[in-house]
């Protein structure tokens, strides 16, 4: 039995470990902190609990795939609630729009707001998003590339993307289908996750809009940190070893130059392969100092960073406040130019306010836990954050009070680009490399290090990219690399029979979730695209309509 080390117990590392355990390897997960989670960490202060990493969970079927390799299911391990609304959008003119959890309710929401033209066009917009997703996911996202030439091996899918306008402007593609400028913002702001302005992003990145606004936004009972905690428990139950407070400080090679071991917590461990999930530049600096980092890293374009204010307050939000609230500023294109091109603080920033205490017991009675995010430039900008953090905190505080949120602060923690950098994130950004065309797919830094056989990478700095769904897939792709390198001791598994439906999630063929004639969120059916390994990649859902806020999963 081969032994594989996974360096880092974040979502990418845990997903990789699940696949490797499923392949029959002896897996040891090595984490420098005292608990699993990585960037999806947790913070407890003064009776409040904060998720310190991602707050938006989409595409839960990817988690189900990880749990399936461990002989269990997402439903059994982490109950989820589909949020409805997924988002409340608030605009500078005082108007609001909701992103609802089903087509009928979304169309009704648009009609209620007087957007009859867009209500009529919305089903067609969803069809386009679904087809983009079904084309991109199996052929260009859930796939390892060895060179750009590999793009030519899927000519039919590439031609379909061209037909769908995937290589045009995201902004223009959405404007072609949606007329109200507020809706255009709502369905293009996701380009920020890719480190781009909507006018600069390719339409292929509308796949993020699909994941974010169509497939559904979920919340785990108890908070986002429950996800890595549950994966760690399932890994342990399936036989993996998890070592905490065991930072990896060195990679060991044999006489032939192959990886032979790692040094973790001062102890030498013999391993046949390793999946490293540190931010890629940090991985090279700390663990591969004798190797020149890939040229793509030397000339990389980095995504903007973010201010994140974790704040516990007395009081609760008024009626109408949702779990996720996006406050769109009046400035839009100018703000993106300031943030990305000029690398300045936005004069009129848009902000995200997440209120997890609305759906979890994470604050004392009569109090609220909030997560306030404002995009800011990465550390390549001329901003002194030791001086700016005080004024920035005051701006966020005034913003809360001005927008109807409770603002009597009990406890808080402000995270600036300096704190992200201290956690090992290059340029002080948690969003890693921007998803320009030249940093996407086969052009993104590879997840294999050919100069040191046995070393592989997972996480947002490598393929396929940034965001919870992408880092989960990155773990799968790294495990696939290990499978090619070492082989697998047992065949792939399918979702166990005990697994049940997650409303709004794609089904997995071969399991009880793969009914005859599945129905998509738009009601037009699944495009029927399948991966080479037989897993469905399209946006099928098995429960039409709107799931209630009943905690079902």
């Amino acid at each position: 039995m081969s032994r594989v080390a996974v360096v880092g117990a974040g979502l990418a590392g845990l997903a990789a470990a699940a696949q490797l355990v499923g392949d029959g390897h002896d897996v040891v997960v090595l984490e420098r902190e005292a608990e699993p989670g990585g960037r999806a960490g947790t913070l407890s202060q003064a009776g409040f609990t904060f998720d310190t990493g991602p707050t938006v969970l989409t595409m839960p079927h990817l988690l189900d795939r990880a749990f399936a390799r461990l002989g269990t299911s997402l439903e059994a391990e982490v109950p989820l609630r589909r949020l409805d609304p997924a988002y409340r959008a608030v605009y500078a003119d005082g108007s609001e729009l909701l992103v609802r959890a089903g087509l009928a309710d979304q169309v009704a929401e648009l009609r209620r707001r007087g957007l009859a033209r867009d209500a009529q066009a919305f089903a067609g917009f969803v069809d386009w998003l679904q087809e983009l997703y079904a084309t991109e996911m199996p052929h260009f996202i859930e796939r390892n590339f060895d060179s750009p030439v590999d793009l030519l091996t899927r000519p039919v899918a590439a031609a379909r993307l061209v037909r769908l306008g995937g290589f045009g402007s995201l902004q223009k593609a959405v404007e072609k289908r949606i007329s109200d400028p507020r809706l255009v913002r709502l369905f293009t702001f996701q380009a920020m996750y890719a480190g781009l302005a909507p006018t600069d992003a390719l339409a292929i990145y509308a796949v993020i809009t699909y994941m974010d606004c169509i497939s559904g936004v979920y919340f785990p009972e108890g908070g986002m940190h429950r996800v890595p905690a549950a994966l760690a428990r399932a890994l342990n139950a399936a036989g993996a070893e998890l070592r905490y407070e065991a930072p990896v400080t060195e990679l060991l090679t044999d006489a032939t130059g192959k990886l032979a071991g790692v040094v973790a917590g001062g102890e030498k461990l013999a391993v046949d392969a390793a999946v490293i999930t540190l931010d890629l530049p940090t991985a090279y600096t700390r663990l591969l100092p004798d190797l020149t980092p890939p040229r793509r890293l030397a000339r990389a374009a980095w995504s903007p960073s973010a201010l994140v204010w974790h704040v516990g307050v007395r009081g609760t939000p008024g009626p109408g406040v949702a779990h996720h609230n996006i406050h769109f500023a009046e400035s839009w294109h100018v703000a993106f130019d300031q943030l990305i091109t000029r690398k300045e603080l936005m004069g009129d920033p848009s902000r995200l306010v997440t209120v997890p205490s609305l759906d979890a017991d994470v604050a004392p009675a009569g109090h609220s836990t909030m997560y306030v995010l404002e995009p800011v430039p990465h550390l390549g900008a001329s901003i002194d954050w030791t001086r700016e953090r005080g004024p920035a905190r005051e701006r966020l505080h005034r913003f809360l009070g001005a927008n109807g949120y409770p603002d009597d602060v009990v406890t808080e923690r402000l995270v600036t680009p300096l704190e992200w950098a201290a956690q090992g994130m290059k340029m002080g950004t948690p969003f890693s490399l921007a998803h320009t065309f030249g940093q996407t797919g086969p052009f993104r830094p590879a997840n294999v290090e050919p100069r040191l056989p046995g070393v592989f990478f997972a996480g947002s700095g490598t393929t396929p990219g940034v965001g919870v769904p992408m880092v989960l897939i990155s773990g799968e792709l790294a495990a696939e690399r290990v499978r090619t390198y070492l082989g697998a001791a047992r065949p792939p598994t399918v979702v166990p029979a005990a697994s049940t439906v997650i409303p709004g999630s794609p089904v997995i063929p071969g399991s009880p979730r793969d009914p005859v004639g599945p129905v998509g969120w738009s009601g037009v059916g699944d495009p029927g695209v399948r991966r080479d390994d037989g897993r469905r990649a399209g946006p099928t859902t098995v429960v039409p309509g709107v799931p209630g806020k009943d905690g079902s999963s």
Side-chain angles (χ1 to χ4, degrees):
M1 179 185 293
S2 299
R3 193 179 199 197
V4 183
V6 176
V7 182
L11 292 175
L14 296 171
Q19 297 297 320
L20 293 165
V21 168
D23 282 348
H25 296 297
D26 177 14
V27 177
V28 55
V29 180
L30 304 167
E31 170 57 46
R32 68 179 179 181
E33 302 296 339
E35 62 180 4
R39 299 184 192 182
T42 186
L43 168 68
S44 295
Q45 286 185 180
F48 296 82
T49 301
F50 304 92
D51 283 316
T52 59
T55 63
V56 177
L57 176 62
T58 63
M59 311 305 287
H61 74 286
L62 297 173
L63 286 170
D64 212 12
R65 290 206 306 231
F67 284 113
R69 299 307 306 277
L70 302 172
T72 183
S73 68
L74 175 62
E75 180 194 26
E77 304 295 338
V78 192
L80 298 182
R81 172 180 300 171
R82 184 168 182 175
L83 298 176
D84 186 14
Y87 292 100
R88 175 180 70 117
V90 184
Y91 297 89
D93 63 3
S95 63
E96 295 187 7
L97 290 169
L98 301 180
V99 175
R100 300 298 307 278
L103 177 63
D105 282 338
Q106 187 63 66
V107 170
E109 164 70 8
L110 298 181
R111 293 191 185 282
R112 184 170 70 90
R113 304 290 185 176
L115 304 178
R117 178 180 174 186
D118 287 321
Q120 181 70 28
F122 197 73
F125 176 59
V126 172
D127 291 346
W128 175 68
L129 291 174
Q130 285 188 321
E131 193 171 357
L132 272 177
Y133 172 88
T135 303
E136 290 181 53
M137 185 62 78
H139 299 293
F140 304 106
I141 295 177
E142 292 184 316
R143 182 185 176 195
N144 278 315
F145 290 94
D146 293 312
S147 80
V149 176
D150 290 346
L151 290 170
L152 303 177
T153 63
R154 306 290 172 90
V156 174
R160 189 180 299 133
L161 282 184
V162 172
R163 175 179 60 80
L164 291 168
F167 298 103
S169 161
L170 172 63
Q171 178 89 16
K172 291 180 179 178
V174 174
E175 287 176 338
K176 180 179 177 181
R177 295 165 173 88
I178 297 292
S179 62
D180 189 273
R182 295 170 300 168
L183 278 180
V184 173
R185 291 190 184 187
L186 187 55
F187 295 123
T188 61
F189 83 89
Q190 294 82 4
M192 279 284 285
Y193 299 153
L196 301 168
T199 51
D200 297 330
L202 295 177
I204 55 174
Y205 295 120
V207 69
I208 311 176
T209 303
Y210 169 79
M211 296 177 183
D212 203 45
C213 294
I214 306 303
S215 178
V217 174
Y218 294 80
F219 185 67
E221 287 188 5
M224 290 286 289
H225 183 68
R226 296 293 178 92
V227 172
L231 273 171
R233 287 195 305 271
L235 279 163
N236 186 68
E241 180 184 3
L242 290 94
R243 296 191 182 190
Y244 300 109
E245 298 181 310
V248 173
T249 55
E250 188 178 356
L251 304 182
L252 306 174
T253 58
D254 63 16
T256 68
K258 293 181 179 179
L259 182 75
V262 301
V263 178
E267 180 183 353
K268 293 182 179 180
L269 304 176
V271 299
D272 300 288
V275 175
I276 300 171
T277 67
L278 282 68
D279 196 33
L280 208 53
T282 302
Y284 275 93
T285 300
R286 295 182 182 176
L287 300 179
L288 299 162
D290 296 331
L291 295 181
T292 303
R295 283 179 295 175
R296 289 170 182 158
L297 286 179
R299 58 174 184 261
W302 298 92
S303 294
S305 185
L307 279 177
V308 173
W309 192 30
H310 304 290
V311 56
V313 297
R314 294 181 182 86
T316 57
V321 172
H323 189 110
H324 295 298
N325 306 269
I326 306 172
H327 292 261
F328 288 106
E330 185 172 0
S331 298
W332 187 243
H333 300 301
V334 170
F336 277 111
D337 180 63
Q338 288 177 312
L339 176 67
I340 297 174
T341 304
R342 292 152 54 184
K343 295 180 176 57
E344 301 171 349
L345 291 174
M346 294 182 289
D348 187 17
S350 297
R351 298 181 174 106
L352 168 69
V353 180
T354 295
V355 192
S357 51
L358 290 175
D359 293 284
D361 185 16
V362 292
H367 294 65
S368 300
T369 296
M370 292 187 289
Y371 169 108
V372 187
L373 182 148
E374 177 185 318
V376 297
H378 56 59
L379 289 179
S382 299
I383 299 173
D384 182 353
W385 283 106
T386 59
R387 297 179 59 183
E388 183 59 36
R389 63 181 299 117
R393 184 264 184 202
E394 291 308 310
R395 287 195 301 272
L396 294 177
H397 191 209
R398 289 195 300 271
F399 161 80
L400 285 183
N403 285 275
Y405 296 98
D407 61 353
D408 185 1
V409 176
V410 176
T411 189
E412 62 185 294
R413 179 171 294 185
L414 182 67
V415 182
T416 75
L418 293 179
E419 282 72 35
W420 298 123
Q423 294 178 44
M425 300 176 203
K426 181 72 172 179
M427 302 300 286
T429 173
F431 304 115
S432 194
L433 285 77
H435 282 261
T436 61
F437 181 77
Q439 295 183 165
T440 298
F443 305 109
R444 202 164 180 84
N447 59 357
V448 57
E449 179 42 79
R451 295 168 294 179
L452 206 171
V455 171
F456 307 93
F457 302 108
S460 58
T462 184
T463 185
V466 178
V468 172
M470 298 304 158
V471 299
L472 292 171
I473 293 170
S474 81
E476 294 183 343
L477 294 178
E480 187 176 295
R481 292 288 194 185
V482 175
R483 189 177 303 131
T484 300
Y485 181 67
L486 296 177
R490 66 170 71 107
T493 56
V494 297
V495 174
S499 182
T500 56
V501 169
I502 300 170
S505 70
V507 299
I508 302 176
S511 78
R513 309 164 108 202
D514 190 15
V516 176
V519 179
W521 188 84
S522 68
V524 299
D526 190 294
V529 178
R530 292 178 184 267
R531 290 167 47 109
D532 293 338
D533 61 8
R535 293 203 302 271
R536 185 183 303 276
T540 304
T541 60
V542 295
V543 179
V546 183
K549 297 181 72 173
D550 56 2
S552 62
S553 59

